[in-house]
Amino acid sequence: MNKKIKISQSAASVITAFVGVAVLMIVFSIMNPNFIKGDSLMALLRSIVPFLLVGIGQAYVCITGNIDLSIGSVLGMSAMISATMMCKGFSPVVAVIVTFVCCMAVGLLNGILVGKFKLPPFIGTLGTMTIARGIAQLANNNYNTDNIGSEGAAQMFKDVLYYGKTLGIFNGVWIALIVWFIFFYILTYTRSGRHIYAIGSNVDAARLSGVDVFMATTKAYMVSAFCAFLTGLITMAQSGMGSMDAGMSYEMYAVAAAVIGGVSTLGGSGLLVGVIAGAAVWAILQSGLTFAHVPVAYRNIVIGVIVVICVLFDVIRRNGKHPLKSDKDNKAEAKKENAAG
């Protein structure tokens, strides 16, 4: 007896995203053969790292049915606090610990505001976005920091997080892959991961099933804050200094990486493996359009259109209705799908 193999909608979205990666690589390599050669390819891999990390954090939050607008500002806060402390003579270890505590505090605050006090996530994280950006600006009295140095502990910090290599691959790439694997395992194989999916699918049903909605929501926001913290350190290691503008627009990059990778903005579905493809699509578009000498404004328009289309398809898929068809046609198609299932 023949059996139909059904691919879940999330898996289908992931496959589509990876196909998109392959197509973009082919197109840009035809336009410029140097795009996938040697140093250019390594640079492309490194450019994926920040998008992947913030995409992981945003994916966790989106799966709960929420959003984190503060992720870019937490990234900037991470870069500024750590750089300011190093410039003032603190060791990188102390600077990283203090920065970690500050970033996790923002994640906890987001969890409390959204999970405990039921603030709309857009409003709650908009507020913490502004607070975190203000802290980033105040960290060095409204100035970018000096260079943290290129010797001793400072150079070791930059090598560990960005410039150094292990097995021929930059350390930043390894760090992103390790972080992805850890959070992929948690989301896929642990009770915490199941709870995150549950509250995104139906928060009331999850609560009645014994899920601690506040705790699950807070964990998701703290994962997002951790990813922003780590991305801020990597960004600072790359530039060697703290910039008050670090992380600007990264909330959009994070949403793009998650959504292009098939994570639903409506909550309850999405696979973390798709975020790799989503981050890669974003990085390839940025690098490829730069190679093609396309102005920044047009690059932003392209990625904005892609994000809108991905979200639109997600809404159509979740609602089961095609916006260009009548309600009668949509109902007829739904009956056919139910009968086939």
Side-chain angles (χ1 to χ4, degrees), residues 83 102 161 203 249 281 310 341:
C102 293
L161 289 177
V203 66
S249 298
V281 166
C310 289

Side-chain angles (χ1 to χ4, degrees), residues 136-336:
Q137 293 167 339
L138 290 174
N140 197 44
N141 296 319
N142 284 305
Y143 289 99
N144 296 334
T145 72
D146 295 327
N147 196 293
I148 62 172
S150 56
E151 297 179 354
Q155 186 59 46
M156 184 180 297
F157 171 84
K158 292 192 284 187
D159 287 341
V160 168
L161 289 177
Y162 191 76
Y163 291 101
K165 288 184 177 181
T166 302
L167 300 177
I169 298 176
F170 286 104
N171 289 340
V173 177
W174 287 116
I175 291 171
L177 289 175
I178 291 169
V179 170
W180 176 87
F181 179 80
I182 291 171
F183 288 127
F184 167 79
Y185 180 85
I186 292 172
L187 191 61
T188 308
Y189 298 107
T190 69
R191 180 180 297 179
S192 294
R194 291 192 293 273
H195 288 177
I196 286 173
Y197 277 108
I199 65 174
S201 297
N202 189 320
V203 66
D204 293 326
R207 186 180 289 109
L208 292 173
S209 299
V211 175
D212 188 332
V213 174
F214 164 61
M215 185 60 67
T217 302
T218 301
K219 286 179 181 178
Y221 275 111
M222 293 192 76
V223 168
S224 180
F226 173 79
C227 290
F229 151 76
L230 191 54
T231 311
L233 294 183
I234 292 174
T235 301
M236 193 271 282
Q238 177 186 2
S239 63
M241 60 176 286
S243 170
M244 292 186 295
D245 292 332
M248 285 290 189
S249 298
Y250 264 74
E251 55 278 349
M252 182 183 70
Y253 301 163
V255 171
V259 170
I260 293 172
V263 175
S264 175
T265 55
L266 302 178
S269 69
L271 301 174
L272 211 58
V273 67
V275 180
I276 297 177
V281 166
W282 174 258
I284 292 168
L285 279 172
Q286 290 278 50
S287 300
L289 294 175
T290 301
F291 263 87
H293 305 293
V294 176
V296 174
Y298 290 108
R299 281 183 256 163
N300 290 337
I301 291 172
V302 169
I303 196 65
V305 169
I306 291 174
V307 171
V308 170
I309 290 173
C310 289
V311 174
L312 179 61
F313 281 154
D314 176 53
V315 172
I316 294 171
R317 174 175 63 84
R318 292 291 290 266
N319 291 337
K321 295 181 179 181
H322 195 293
L324 301 180
K325 293 182 179 180
S326 66
D327 289 340
K328 183 178 179 180
D329 291 337
N330 281 317
K331 289 178 180 178
E333 287 189 4
K335 287 182 179 179
K336 288 181 181 179

